[in-house]
Amino acid sequence: MASSLVRTLQRVCTLKRNPRPLTALAATARFEARTYGAEPEPLTKSPFDSNIIRILRNEIEYQQEYAPPHQPDTKFNSFTVDERRGEQVVTIKGKFGECEDIRIEATMFDGCEHVPAYGDDSSGVNVRLHLSLIVDISKGKGENELEFVCSAWPDSLNVEKVFLLRRGRMAARPYIGPDFRDLSAKVQEKFYAYLDERGVNDELAVFLHEYMMNKDRIELLRWMDSLKSFVDR
């Protein structure tokens, strides 16, 4: 009896000094548990990025509430307007009669002038925004074109230059004519009447200023939203 007890105690001591190896399943379970606990957590935005995103989001919301843009017009009188999303110009196309094609390229606001303010704010100045127009009038493919370079102010359209273009047949240094304002008053008057008959007039200038004010808000919101999306990725 005593010898059996001694042998049992000896086996227990041997197991403590030389424990049996874990089975493959148990070892795998313990490894997987350690690996799972060591997985890195998803990266979060830095405080700087989060601040930029918050500021842009607030600015977008403010702009949408303060001066929300409306859907751009696609028609004006006899003209069709091509908005050209994301660009600083718009294209306006029309026809006059049976054979004349009219194409107008108008920039977004590219300048301004300061004029005295009247009324209650007579001590200050007002800003008149300016945009540029190129008006091409052609009479069929291969024909010459008449091109007008114009300035559009909030309430008026002024002609700056007149060119006669020979597409594909222009001389290296063609004579382009005098400055429009150097022409006689009678010639200027006739050209203004010529353009007015085709819908290129003060009314078009008023429309373009309203159109570009709206486009400016649309492009600003798109730009800020693109910035926010980039930082937020």
Side-chain angles (χ1 to χ4, degrees), residues 3 11 25 31 44 57 72 78 86 101 110 125 127 136 146 177 207:
S3 60
R11 283 198 298 270
L25 181 62
F31 175 76
T44 58
R57 184 185 299 115
S78 62
D101 293 313
D110 57 4
V125 295
V127 175
D136 288 328
L146 201 56
F207 166 77

Side-chain angles (χ1 to χ4, degrees), residues 45-55 231:
K45 295 293 180 187
S46 70
F48 184 75
D49 288 353
S50 299
N51 195 40
I52 291 177
I53 294 169
R54 179 181 58 81
I55 291 172
V231 177

Side-chain angles (χ1 to χ4, degrees), residues 8-219:
T8 300
L9 290 175
Q10 287 175 341
R11 283 198 298 270
V12 170
C13 291
T14 301
L15 287 172
K16 286 183 178 180
R17 287 194 301 269
N18 303 296
R20 292 180 182 177
L22 291 172
T23 64
L25 181 62
T28 302
R30 286 183 60 179
F31 175 76
E32 288 178 349
R34 287 197 302 270
T35 303
Y36 178 80
E39 284 183 353
E41 295 184 359
L43 294 175
T44 58
K45 295 293 180 187
S46 70
F48 184 75
D49 288 353
S50 299
N51 195 40
I52 291 177
I53 294 169
R54 179 181 58 81
I55 291 172
L56 287 171
R57 184 185 299 115
N58 291 342
E59 185 63 23
I60 290 171
E61 291 175 357
Y62 171 77
Q63 291 292 336
Q64 289 175 332
E65 293 176 5
Y66 171 71
H70 56 76
Q71 185 68 24
D73 296 314
T74 58
K75 290 282 188 180
F76 173 72
N77 292 341
S78 62
F79 293 107
T80 300
V81 183
D82 179 7
E83 187 226 352
R84 295 177 67 167
R85 173 175 175 154
E87 297 187 41
Q88 298 186 52
V89 296
V90 297
T91 301
I92 303 172
K93 296 178 181 179
K95 290 188 71 70
F96 180 75
E98 293 296 325
C99 62
E100 283 191 10
D101 293 313
I102 303 171
R103 178 186 174 92
I104 302 171
E105 297 276 339
T107 67
M108 293 178 69
F109 300 116
D110 57 4
C112 67
E113 69 174 6
H114 295 87
V115 296
Y118 298 99
D120 297 336
D121 193 25
S122 58
S123 60
V125 295
N126 288 332
V127 175
R128 297 180 75 228
L129 295 175
H130 171 273
L131 51 88
S132 299
L133 273 68
I134 295 179
V135 182
D136 288 328
I137 301 175
S138 63
K139 295 188 177 183
K141 188 175 181 180
E143 297 291 331
N144 295 342
E145 294 182 12
L146 201 56
E147 183 171 271
F148 296 84
V149 178
C150 305
S151 290
W153 298 98
D155 55 359
S156 62
L157 185 139
N158 299 333
V159 178
E160 305 293 339
K161 282 278 189 182
V162 182
F163 303 103
L164 185 62
L165 303 180
R166 297 174 176 83
R167 297 295 184 186
R169 296 178 286 122
M170 291 291 290
R173 299 187 62 182
Y175 176 73
I176 59 176
D179 189 275
F180 186 79
R181 286 166 290 191
D182 293 336
L183 297 172
S184 68
K186 187 173 182 179
V187 172
Q188 291 185 41
E189 181 183 343
K190 292 300 181 181
F191 270 122
Y192 276 115
Y194 177 88
L195 289 172
D196 184 53
E197 190 177 14
R198 289 155 177 78
V200 183
N201 49 28
D202 295 346
E203 187 180 352
L204 177 63
V206 173
F207 166 77
L208 282 172
H209 272 259
E210 293 174 354
Y211 186 97
M212 291 305 185
M213 289 290 287
N214 185 63
K215 180 175 174 62
D216 188 68
R217 292 194 291 270
I218 291 173
E219 297 299 345

